[in-house]
Amino acid sequence: MVVSVGIDVSKDKHDCFIVNSDGEVLADVFTIPNTLDGFHCLLQRIQDCTAPQDKIKVGLEATGHYSYNLLGFLLNNGLPTYVLNPLRTNLYRKSLSLRKTKTDRVDARTIASMLLSDAGLKPYTNTAYHNEELKSLTRYRFDKVKERTKLKSSIARLVCILFPELEKLVPSLHITSVYALLGEFPGAKQIAAVHLTRLKALLETASKGRYKRDMALEIREAARTSIASPMPAKSLELQHTIRLIRELDREIDEIEEQIQSIMDELHSPLTTIPGLGFRMAAMILAEVGDFTRFDSPDKLLAYAGMSPSTYQSGQLKNCYPHMEKRGSRYLRYALYNATKYVCHWDPAFADYLAKKRAEGKHYNIAISHAAKKLVRLIFAMEKSRQPYCSAA
């Protein structure tokens, strides 16, 4: 006998429903608080409704941090737990009734019914649960890097106002020596007034000897003839923005140290792929979780939302299918960016990309084809646990 437990998760309480494969309701919808006592109450109800020979299935939706503690409790107590895609349960609920009805009680019943009807569902594993640590770090780093990128755009905007000529004198505005210069002298007026000896010492120290007196003289002369107007408010904003970027640099370094230590423990073969650094490899591993959940690379590709969408009705068929773009946007980001670097460093992938480009495909389309090839490679390597061996 299969006993299905459906749980609708929320912040402060969880609605639960227990039914068996014969359709007999063993426990109508009941509510437990999101506390340890509530978790033990749920475990006791499940034990009271089941026999030792029963096969238990516990299902809940992927609701982020709200379900994390309950999920850990269920796994620690040896209960086969299924984490369901909310989109999938929503479509299943709509298929059961034409009425527009959605409540916590209905959702609990829907989840329990879905567990009984879909034999293809695979339980959540301890591997995937403990992988949440890596997922938290990689997503946190992603957000920090995105925040830093926005601040760098602000730097470019402010320099265009305060000292537009500087951009033509240096290879990039976002290097240590430029930040050191603008952090102390945030504008053409301040740089024009500084003594050459002090300016030379600042640039030489910050650039580790790359920029000397000639560069200091060139920058000061450009500042003296600059079209910039003195704007104290913008200068203050520039200094604060540089401080924020430096702080973010330190935070990102700390996060990457933690990611590196976890990757060292995992010994993943993915890092042996040319061009695939530990950061992108970590994000891919974190978002995929347990590779045993997927029967084929195509299912992993669909999970990433990178499979082509299809629409066909009668003689109508979409001629230019687009990516579905469902699932984890972090996984799509990691796969897409990893593919660009792998195509640059690995001859086999470089040839494959060149072949797709020769067929007349746009660069982004060609990269998406190479990404599918990379997904197949990643899937095979994680299954075999063997390092990368180039076919070229």
Side-chain angles (χ1 to χ4, degrees), residues 214-251:
D214 291 344
M215 176 57 80
L217 187 61
E218 189 176 1
I219 289 176
R220 193 179 68 169
E221 288 304 314
R224 287 178 173 176
T225 59
S226 176
I227 61 173
S229 302
M231 299 182 69
K234 296 295 184 185
S235 294
L236 182 64
E237 183 183 350
L238 178 60
Q239 288 179 310
H240 287 186
T241 304
I242 290 172
R243 288 178 203 164
L244 287 172
I245 290 175
R246 285 171 171 166
E247 181 59 33
L248 280 171
D249 285 339
R250 287 190 289 270
E251 291 175 0

Side-chain angles (χ1 to χ4, degrees), residues 38-55:
F39 294 174
H40 282 294
C41 176
L42 171 62
L43 182 61
Q44 188 62 50
R45 291 292 291 271
I46 294 173
Q47 292 172 346
D48 293 342
C49 295
T50 57
Q53 67 273 16
D54 289 336
K55 182 180 179 181

Side-chain angles (χ1 to χ4, degrees), residues 347-389:
F349 275 86
D351 292 343
Y352 185 77
L353 180 64
K355 174 187 171 185
K356 292 299 176 183
R357 292 285 284 147
E359 292 173 3
K361 290 180 169 59
H362 186 276
Y363 176 77
N364 290 339
I365 302 297
I367 284 289
S368 70
H369 282 276
K372 295 173 187 177
K373 180 179 173 70
L374 181 61
V375 167
R376 291 192 290 271
L377 174 64
I378 288 171
F379 185 83
M381 289 178 65
E382 278 297 318
K383 289 284 187 178
S384 66
R385 301 299 297 175
Q386 294 299 313
Y388 178 68
C389 180

